[in-house]
Amino acid sequence: MFKHLFKLIWNKKKQNFLLMSEMLFSFLVLFAVFTLLVYYYDNYKKPMGFEYQNVWVISYNNAYQTKSTDSLNTYYEILRQNIKAMPEVRELSFCSFNTPFTNNMSQGRISYHKKPLDHVNFYTADESFPATMNMQILEGRWFNKTDVATKNKPIVINSDIKEQLFGKGAAVGQLISNYDEKEKMRVIGVVQSIKMKGDYAATGYGLYQKTDTGSLRWMGKIMVQVVPGASAAFEGHLYKTLANYMKNSNVEIEHLTNKRTSINYFTLVPMIVLSIVGGFLAINVALGLFGVLWYNINQRRGEIGLRRAVGASGGAVSSQLIYESMILATLSLIVGSFFAVQFPLLNVFDLSAGIYISAMLLAITFIYALVFLCSLYPGRQAAAIYPAVALHEE
């Protein structure tokens, strides 16, 4: 039976080649769409790693400038006490500009035993950062006042770096080199990786450094954890307090909940665009396949009538058309799968092989389901042809 079907397909190879090309191109686009969807869903399942609901971000610039280290420390300590004294404030932390849900980044390279690790995000934060963000410390500890004068610079890494460099082994106490391998940094703790770029983005590699007097000169962010239900009146009072204290600074207060919503919309734009393109292609494949099958039925009425006259049932005729369509889809998917499988083999875009394999299986299933559904109605129309009528027309 299949030998006969292949012969029928080969006899109309020019017409079938165009349909197969359309299926192939649609499969590749759907593969890209499903890859993005699976990637986003895989990231979405992972925990956020911190609590953002009641955290505000204070941005300031042109802050207090002085050459005196003591004056600088005193200036920011008074500012901390003024904010902390407000009953609506639970905790606060001075940190670098690459705060959660922003596009600001500070990336570099580290190495462990000459094993490099690229695209590491460097964060600078003070002792109260984990309490402000409700971060989970998995191993070791966070920074404290004893880390001011140490031989090797103390750092805290996230669980992604720990897994990449140390696997299941202990990370605390290990020495990591900076980008030029001239400075050694000692790991004192491991924290849960947090999704700094929103729900659908990967956590990435994160390395935390302790604030010092030098960093206070350029940092311009304060993370403030407030009580639930903090009012707009309190926000206005907080703004006036900051503006009066930092008279030459431009102060801005933002809520992490709003910033999370904005960055999630920004992340979903490529997926929406690809989904629209994939949807149009799927519609084109469906219409093309439906039209080709309908045309084939009208052109092959004599053949179908002869098959019915020699004893073929309506179900057999319908199945033949469906099988032909599924064989065409299979040939297209074999070629498409060859190209798709190169992505996990070559580690394109540095995604896990499981994401590509899941996307490929979803795209294959979608194409098969689309072809099957589009073949049902024309197949039923072919099965309804009466032998006498078809042969009489011939």
Side-chain angles (χ1 to χ4, degrees):
M1 175 182 177
F2 285 101
K3 182 179 179 181
H4 177 67
L5 291 176
F6 276 108
K7 184 179 294 186
L8 292 175
I9 291 173
W10 178 255
N11 290 335
K12 297 183 179 181
K13 50 184 176 294
K14 290 185 178 180
Q15 181 179 350
N16 291 330
F17 178 77
L18 295 176
L19 186 59
M20 288 173 58
S21 301
E22 192 174 13
M23 290 182 186
L24 171 62
F25 186 68
S26 299
F27 168 78
L28 295 177
V29 174
L30 288 172
F31 171 70
V33 172
F34 283 121
T35 298
L36 199 60
L37 287 174
V38 173
Y39 172 71
Y40 282 164
Y41 178 71
D42 186 63
N43 292 331
Y44 182 79
K45 291 189 303 181
K46 297 177 181 178
M48 183 67 72
F50 70 102
E51 295 183 10
Y52 59 87
Q53 288 83 356
N54 299 303
V55 179
W56 297 354
V57 184
I58 300 174
S59 304
Y60 61 93
N61 57 15
N62 194 26
Y64 182 68
Q65 300 294 330
T66 178
K67 294 182 179 180
S68 173
T69 302
D70 294 336
S71 298
L72 190 66
N73 290 331
T74 302
Y75 177 84
Y76 283 105
E77 184 59 31
I78 293 175
L79 176 61
R80 177 191 296 273
Q81 293 176 3
N82 289 340
I83 299 175
K84 194 71 179 293
M86 299 178 182
E88 293 86 354
V89 175
R90 287 182 172 178
E91 193 58 81
L92 67 101
S93 173
F94 290 88
C95 59
S96 53
F97 58 88
N98 47 349
T99 54
F101 311 143
T102 64
N103 292 318
N104 299 326
M105 293 188 299
S106 176
Q107 291 189 339
R109 168 186 288 187
I110 60 175
S111 64
Y112 175 69
H113 289 172
K114 297 185 177 180
K115 177 184 178 182
L117 186 63
D118 295 317
H119 308 298
V120 177
N121 297 289
F122 288 81
Y123 304 99
T124 303
D126 60 17
E127 294 93 336
S128 57
F129 190 74
T132 304
M133 307 296 290
N134 285 328
M135 295 172 59
Q136 183 181 2
I137 299 178
L138 304 177
E139 183 180 337
R141 61 175 179 84
W142 190 258
F143 305 112
N144 57 38
K145 294 182 179 180
T146 63
D147 296 317
V148 176
T150 57
K151 179 181 178 181
N152 300 115
K153 183 179 180 179
I155 59 171
V156 175
I157 61 175
N158 68 357
S159 54
D160 285 355
I161 293 183
K162 193 259 184 184
E163 181 179 353
Q164 183 68 26
L165 295 183
F166 308 107
K168 296 182 179 179
V172 174
Q174 301 292 337
L175 293 177
I176 295 177
S177 302
N178 63 349
Y179 66 97
D180 56 4
E181 298 191 0
K182 293 182 178 179
E183 180 185 5
K184 296 292 184 180
M185 303 175 289
R186 183 176 297 277
V187 179
I188 64 171
V190 179
V191 296
Q192 175 69 46
S193 297
I194 63 179
K195 295 194 283 190
M196 300 288 285
K197 302 300 181 183
D199 294 281
Y200 305 102
T203 52
Y205 304 123
L207 187 150
Y208 299 86
Q209 308 170 95
K210 186 179 183 300
T211 56
D212 54 22
T213 304
S215 57
L216 287 175
R217 298 182 185 277
W218 56 264
M219 289 195 311
K221 300 289 184 179
I222 307 175
M223 309 296 295
V224 180
Q225 183 187 132
V226 299
V227 297
S231 63
F234 163 68
E235 184 175 347
H237 173 63
L238 176 62
Y239 176 83
K240 290 181 180 179
T241 301
L242 294 168
N244 291 332
Y245 188 79
M246 297 185 288
K247 297 184 181 298
N248 297 323
S249 297
N250 296 321
V251 179
E252 182 181 5
I253 301 177
E254 298 176 285
H255 298 194
L256 281 189
T257 50
N258 298 333
K259 294 176 70 66
R260 168 180 167 267
T261 302
S262 298
I263 201 167
N264 281 343
Y265 285 149
F266 180 79
T267 306
L268 291 175
V269 167
M271 184 185 69
I272 295 173
V273 173
L274 274 177
S275 298
I276 293 173
V277 173
F280 276 117
L281 281 174
I283 293 173
N284 286 333
V285 170
L287 293 176
L289 183 61
F290 193 85
V292 168
L293 292 176
W294 189 276
Y295 178 78
N296 284 345
I297 291 173
N298 292 325
Q299 293 295 110
R300 298 164 63 182
R301 291 180 66 87
E303 173 194 337
I304 294 172
L306 182 60
R307 289 180 178 274
R308 293 297 307 276
V310 298
S313 63
V317 173
S318 177
S319 299
Q320 176 189 337
L321 292 177
I322 294 175
Y323 285 147
E324 287 183 19
S325 302
M326 300 300 282
I327 290 174
L328 289 175
T330 301
L331 295 176
S332 300
L333 292 174
I334 289 174
V335 179
S337 297
F338 171 78
F339 290 105
V341 80
Q342 305 304 314
F343 284 79
L345 292 178
L346 300 177
N347 195 26
V348 180
F349 302 124
D350 199 26
L351 299 180
S352 65
I355 292 177
Y356 289 121
I357 293 173
S358 299
M360 186 168 59
L361 293 176
L362 287 171
I364 290 173
T365 303
F366 186 88
I367 292 293
Y368 270 135
L370 183 66
V371 171
F372 178 77
L373 292 175
C374 291
S375 304
L376 283 178
Y377 185 73
R380 292 181 59 186
Q381 291 295 107
I385 295 176
Y386 290 100
V389 175
L391 295 176
H392 176 73
E393 292 175 355
E394 291 294 319

